[in-house]
Amino acid sequence: QVHLVESGGGLVQPGGSLRLSCAASGSIRSINVMGWYRQALGKQRELVAAITSGSNTNYADSVKGRFTISRDNAKNTMYLQMNNLKPEDTAVYYCNAAVRTAWGRDDDYWGQGTQVTVSS
């Protein structure tokens, strides 16, 4: 089995920063793509940022220039550095990973989510 564990969420003032982490563990052969999604109250879940095993990245327009996604392949861990946070960033943030297991199967896994609240 594969498990994703998220950390780093919390309450922050507008303009502040947070750093989210997502650690993957289990029967992992490789992780092709990891990404962060978020879901605000009353809204659909949306992609925030994604990163491949080769460190190719993609960002939602709303976070470009403020958020930076990175990963440590040796640790199967992904990070999201969030700077200049805005109230509109308030949401539950979810870690997602496309995992190739030791048995050769490809599956999509999700973390339980971590709350980010940006408020004055």
Side-chain angles (χ1 to χ4, degrees), residues 25-100:
S25 62
S27 302
I28 299 171
R29 180 68 66 188
S30 62
I31 304 177
N32 185 31
V33 181
M34 301 184 77
W36 290 98
Y37 289 73
R38 68 186 181 188
Q39 187 166 18
L41 184 63
K43 295 188 175 182
Q44 299 291 328
R45 187 173 298 186
E46 64 177 355
L47 176 67
V48 177
I51 185 167
T52 69
S53 60
S55 296
N56 188 29
T57 59
N58 185 47
Y59 296 92
D61 288 340
S62 59
V63 307
K64 285 181 179 178
R66 299 188 297 119
F67 292 9
T68 302
I69 190 170
S70 61
R71 63 187 287 173
D72 185 334
N73 291 334
K75 296 180 178 179
N76 286 326
T77 300
M78 174 181 64
Y79 308 94
L80 185 68
Q81 179 67 45
M82 304 185 293
N83 297 326
N84 192 24
L85 283 160
K86 303 177 179 180
E88 306 92 271
D89 297 317
T90 296
V92 178
Y93 284 69
Y94 297 91
C95 176
N96 174 264
V99 177
R100 179 163 295 169

